[in-house]
Amino acid sequence: MLRLDLVSHGMTEAMRKARFPVDEPLTEAGRRAVSALGRMNAARVRTAPERRTVETAALMGLLGDEDDRLRDLDAGAWRGGELMSVPKEDLYAWLTDPTYKGHRGESVVEVLARTAEWMADIAVEGEPTIAITHPAVIRSAILVALDAPAKSFWRVDIPPVSVTRLHYRGEWTLHF
């Protein structure tokens, strides 16, 4: 059985203020929460390339290789802006249509596809892995494991500094 632990990075100012993220550090509260998480071990550690994920890994005492497939959902033109500044019809489309790209960024189905590709590679490589990444990627991994529809993406809440464990035995399973 292969174990994959997905760690959501610590709190950032964008998360705290309901803004679309940019490449930013953790808040002081985020750093404290990560430090309190404790040690985790695996044969391999992977991180998304953004500062907040690399910082989370370092605070956990982990050094990992960056993997671009673990990067956050690209909010395109909305990056850095406030969630509530998006016109309601665009926000509605983004939250209900997994193919929506009106912000000129990345769609939910694109994040799902790259996450599924990454998970397939992890399964083939067969080494227990810790991945420090973003809520969007962890949501995607859960949907891949459950073979759930893309429209379920926003129905999964991934808090900062949470750990989601998946197992692989020919198929991915969510482990609680």
Side-chain angles (χ1 to χ4, degrees):
M1 173 187 66
L2 171 64
R3 186 186 80 240
L4 172 59
D5 288 326
L6 300 159
V7 180
S8 180
H9 64 75
M11 180 65 74
T12 66
E13 199 63 25
M15 294 170 86
R16 197 176 72 72
K17 293 187 174 178
R19 289 192 331 244
F20 291 96
V22 292
D23 195 10
E24 60 190 8
L26 302 180
T27 62
E28 186 56 40
R31 286 189 284 280
R32 283 192 307 271
V34 171
S35 295
L37 184 59
R39 299 286 298 165
M40 294 179 69
N41 295 305
R44 287 190 319 180
V45 176
R46 298 290 184 258
T47 68
E50 294 89 355
R51 182 175 175 183
R52 57 197 178 271
T53 57
V54 174
E55 186 177 353
T56 297
L59 287 166
M60 293 174 66
L62 300 172
L63 293 174
D65 295 324
E66 292 181 16
D67 190 321
D68 191 58
R69 294 175 294 179
L70 295 174
R71 73 187 180 279
D72 203 358
L73 185 152
D74 180 1
W78 299 345
R79 193 175 308 118
E82 293 182 10
L83 184 68
M84 298 316 294
S85 69
V86 175
K88 286 182 183 182
E89 61 276 1
D90 290 330
L91 190 57
Y92 179 79
W94 185 58
L95 293 172
T96 59
D97 178 1
T99 65
Y100 178 82
K101 290 178 63 169
H103 49 58
R104 297 182 309 280
E106 189 173 30
S107 72
V108 166
V109 294
E110 289 171 325
V111 176
L112 282 164
R114 73 172 149 87
T115 302
E117 174 190 296
W118 178 78
M119 290 171 66
D121 287 349
I122 293 296
V124 167
E125 292 162 8
E127 292 187 81
T129 301
I130 297 171
I132 296 88
T133 188
H134 306 276
V137 174
I138 298 170
R139 277 187 204 105
S140 296
I142 291 169
L143 267 56
V144 169
L146 299 177
D147 197 23
K151 69 179 185 174
S152 301
F153 182 83
W154 295 112
R155 295 181 185 172
V156 180
D157 185 30
I158 305 295
V161 196
S162 62
V163 179
T164 301
R165 179 166 285 176
L166 301 176
H167 287 161
Y168 185 79
R169 290 180 223 130
E171 291 187 49
W172 287 103
T173 58
L174 182 58
H175 180 78
F176 289 103

